[in-house]
Amino acid sequence: MIVALAGGVGGAKLADGLAHVLGRDLAVVVNTADDFEHIGLHVSPDIDTVMYTLGGVANAETGWGVAGESWNFLDQLSRLDGPTWFRLGDRDLATHVLRNERLKRGERLTAITGELCRRLGISARVLPMSDDPVRTVVHTAEGPLAFQEYFVGRRCEVPVTGFTFAGIENAQVTKDVQAALSGGETSAVVICPSNPFVSIDPILHVPGMRALLLARDVPIVAVSPIIGGAAVKGPAAKMMRELGLEASSKSVAAHYRGLIEGLMLDHADAPLSPAIESMGMKVRVTDTLMKSATDRRRLAQECLDFAAALARPGASP
Amino acid sequence: MIVALAGGVGGAKLADGLAHVLGRDLAVVVNTADDFEHIGLHVSPDIDTVMYTLGGVANAETGWGVAGESWNFLDQLSRLDGPTWFRLGDRDLATHVLRNERLKRGERLTAITGELCRRLGISARVLPMSDDPVRTVVHTAEGPLAFQEYFVGRRCEVPVTGFTFAGIENAQVTKDVQAALSGGETSAVVICPSNPFVSIDPILHVPGMRALLLARDVPIVAVSPIIGGAAVKGPAAKMMRELGLEASSKSVAAHYRGLIEGLMLDHADAPLSPAIESMGMKVRVTDTLMKSATDRRRLAQECLDFAAALARPGASP
């Protein structure tokens, strides 16, 4: 059993590769701090990206939402002067409406996600980091912004000064995540190439999560989301610069220092290896850019090989 | 000012004719006992039919919903094993989602309907019969059925034995309906050719509604929804037979006896005039089938002329 931690697009791609290699022997713990309430509907962007990607129905054109999407709901919403800044597709809405109904009935996000995944034919377990509401607040020179306001509404243009995760102090690790992380059959944890600040950090900050990750003697490896000083997708590199950090995999390594045993870098970042290894972790260099399904599976297999190589002799398999 | 009482398609067509003739001088009181909660969304089928028809965006092909509709939400819902027996179109959903959000926020259905109507460019006032939940229960040999379960789920196939309106005892006439009905400028009430049992009766059974209708000395005229023993659309004639009534405009007259001063019949039913007039009401015969926009306006004008002719000399204008 392998546990992956993931946020949006990049994380979902590696999770998809892992799911192809591992089938049912994968649990993906997903960030829910991007979740928000929009026109009365609960929207879980990262869960949906992971779910649609693993279900093979992700929209490759947009990078989010469902393939074969149409926009008539949004068009009509616009005629009715409803809010259209967050683009909900007609197919995507089916997920939000079904999920919302069940949440309002008092069901847990984890149970609902599990059922949606079964319906999409997903064998891996997709686990929200928590069933309790956590909301990323992006601190900027203009003041605090809700995550989607920053990410979609302002297109990440406002310089950031930091992040907080509202509600995190009361969020609990679910029994499902706990079982996945503390189960004897779990042999490695893979931190996917997601944004360290707004995708992975919320997961790591759920009270008790880091302790659970460190308690078991299994290797934790991360794949850097930065290649040659740029993020493959999203604002990770831009955020690093705005936070006064070097926009490089070195900052990723520093961020995960003390947690991970290994970091996978792209060939473009091979020269950073000595500096990163001096931070007390192993480095493996490969092609980390995932352009095809084959890339996803190859990188997934390399992560598993890397983790296996890092497993201490005599540790649980 | 004219007040119309209306349910679904037939009622909406006459209301549309009246709106063209009267503009802002029309208030349409609409049945809400068909409303129901579906996958967490509040759906108001009769209000929507009236609103879409008056807004010029009704779907002429289906007879309900919005023109230019697409069905990708429903298709995706089906993939996710969600309920698809009630067909929600992608455009139609914009209404349900917006309305639902506002209802959950505690806004009144009347206020929400007013705003949606303004956005659709409707000058007439579309007024829910009540802001309080009323639900038609269709009694059948198989036991009670919720209205949409009977109407859509069972396609009206189960023979009916009667109807009750759950919640009606606690429903209040809204201040908007009260103002429309008791206002000094109101000169007639038109009961549209809607189903007397499940569209008009719920309106009439809201406590205080009948008294309000009868308190003012203005003529009340109805248009029979039955032509030659058949309903133009819907189960009205079938219901009459199942209830042991004659499927004819005579049963419509008997149903509204004591409330209306005049009944408009189609030429096909002209022979029934003497029997109906003997029930204590006037009859006017015309073409009541509305196939075109012109038909709607002509019938609307004829209703207004009929009502004017019935107004007692010396009564308020």
Side-chain angles (χ1 to χ4, degrees), chain A residues 249-258 279 281:
Chain A
S249 288
K250 268 195 341 209
S251 296
V252 178
H255 194 82
Y256 291 141
R257 188 179 196 164
M279 292 186 208
M281 62 185 75

Side-chain angles (χ1 to χ4, degrees), chain A residues 167-220:
Chain A
I168 197 100
E169 62 284 4
N170 298 316
Q172 295 190 347
V173 174
T174 64
K175 60 180 168 48
D176 311 77
V177 169
Q178 190 152 1
L181 285 173
S182 58
E185 67 280 23
T186 297
S187 57
V189 173
V190 176
I191 300 180
C192 292
S194 296
N195 189 305
F197 308 109
V198 293
S199 293
I200 303 299
D201 263 7
I203 303 176
L204 298 178
H205 280 71
V206 177
M209 186 75 80
R210 187 177 281 262
L212 270 171
L213 285 164
L214 293 172
R216 288 282 320 289
D217 200 12
V218 300
I220 305 178

Side-chain angles (χ1 to χ4, degrees), chain A residues 119-134:
Chain A
R119 288 166 179 186
L120 288 170
I122 297 168
S123 302
R125 274 176 293 149
V126 177
L127 303 176
M129 67 185 205
S130 178
D131 286 324
D132 304 307
V134 179

Side-chain angles (χ1 to χ4, degrees), chain A residues 39-41 66 70 72-73 75-77 79-83 90-91 93-95 97-98 101 116 119-120, chain B residues 39-41 66 70 72-73 75-77 79-83 90-91 93-95 97-98 101 116 119-120:
Chain A
I39 30 176
L41 299 172
V66 185
S70 62
N72 286 319
F73 167 80
D75 183 67
Q76 189 70 20
L77 198 66
R79 290 188 195 197
L80 297 175
D81 282 347
D90 299 334
R91 290 184 178 279
L93 258 179
T95 299
V97 169
L98 277 181
E101 184 205 13
L116 290 170
R119 288 166 179 186
L120 288 170
Chain B
I39 30 176
L41 299 171
V66 185
S70 61
N72 287 319
F73 167 80
D75 182 65
Q76 188 71 19
L77 198 65
R79 290 187 197 200
L80 297 176
D81 281 347
D90 299 333
R91 291 186 177 278
L93 258 179
T95 300
V97 169
L98 277 181
E101 184 204 11
L116 289 170
R119 290 167 178 186
L120 289 170

Side-chain angles (χ1 to χ4, degrees), chain A residues 95-311:
Chain A
T95 299
H96 308 312
V97 169
L98 277 181
R99 174 191 285 134
N100 201 60
E101 184 205 13
R102 292 170 168 237
L103 282 172
K104 302 280 178 224
R105 265 200 251 145
E107 292 184 39
R108 296 190 308 132
L109 184 59
T110 299
I112 300 164
T113 305
E115 190 151 336
L116 290 170
C117 283
R118 272 192 296 283
R119 288 166 179 186
L120 288 170
I122 297 168
S123 302
R125 274 176 293 149
V126 177
L127 303 176
M129 67 185 205
S130 178
D131 286 324
D132 304 307
V134 179
R135 299 292 177 263
T136 295
V137 179
V138 181
H139 296 274
T140 76
E142 300 182 15
L145 294 173
F147 182 76
Q148 296 299 339
E149 199 182 340
Y150 164 79
F151 191 70
V152 178
R154 303 294 298 272
R155 288 174 293 181
C156 311
E157 286 167 1
V158 199
V160 303
T161 56
F163 309 94
T164 49
F165 309 116
I168 197 100
E169 62 284 4
N170 298 316
Q172 295 190 347
V173 174
T174 64
K175 60 180 168 48
D176 311 77
V177 169
Q178 190 152 1
L181 285 173
S182 58
E185 67 280 23
T186 297
S187 57
V189 173
V190 176
I191 300 180
C192 292
S194 296
N195 189 305
F197 308 109
V198 293
S199 293
I200 303 299
D201 263 7
I203 303 176
L204 298 178
H205 280 71
V206 177
M209 186 75 80
R210 187 177 281 262
L212 270 171
L213 285 164
L214 293 172
R216 288 282 320 289
D217 200 12
V218 300
I220 305 178
V221 300
V223 178
S224 174
I226 303 289
I227 299 180
V232 175
K233 194 174 163 64
K238 181 173 180 287
M239 285 174 174
M240 285 175 178
R241 289 189 294 273
E242 291 164 2
L243 295 170
L245 304 171
E246 184 182 302
S248 92
S249 288
K250 268 195 341 209
S251 296
V252 178
H255 194 82
Y256 291 141
R257 188 179 196 164
L259 177 69
I260 64 176
E261 277 85 49
L263 183 64
M264 298 198 72
L265 298 184
D266 191 77
H267 286 296
D269 292 332
L272 304 175
S273 297
I276 290 175
E277 292 207 319
S278 74
M279 292 186 208
M281 62 185 75
K282 297 289 180 192
V283 163
R284 183 165 291 194
V285 174
T286 184
D287 289 322
T288 61
L289 191 63
M290 292 172 282
K291 286 182 284 190
S292 67
T294 311
D295 290 342
R296 296 177 190 182
R297 294 174 206 184
R298 179 193 42 72
L299 185 59
Q301 188 59 59
E302 291 191 60
C303 285
L304 297 177
D305 294 345
F306 187 30
L310 291 171

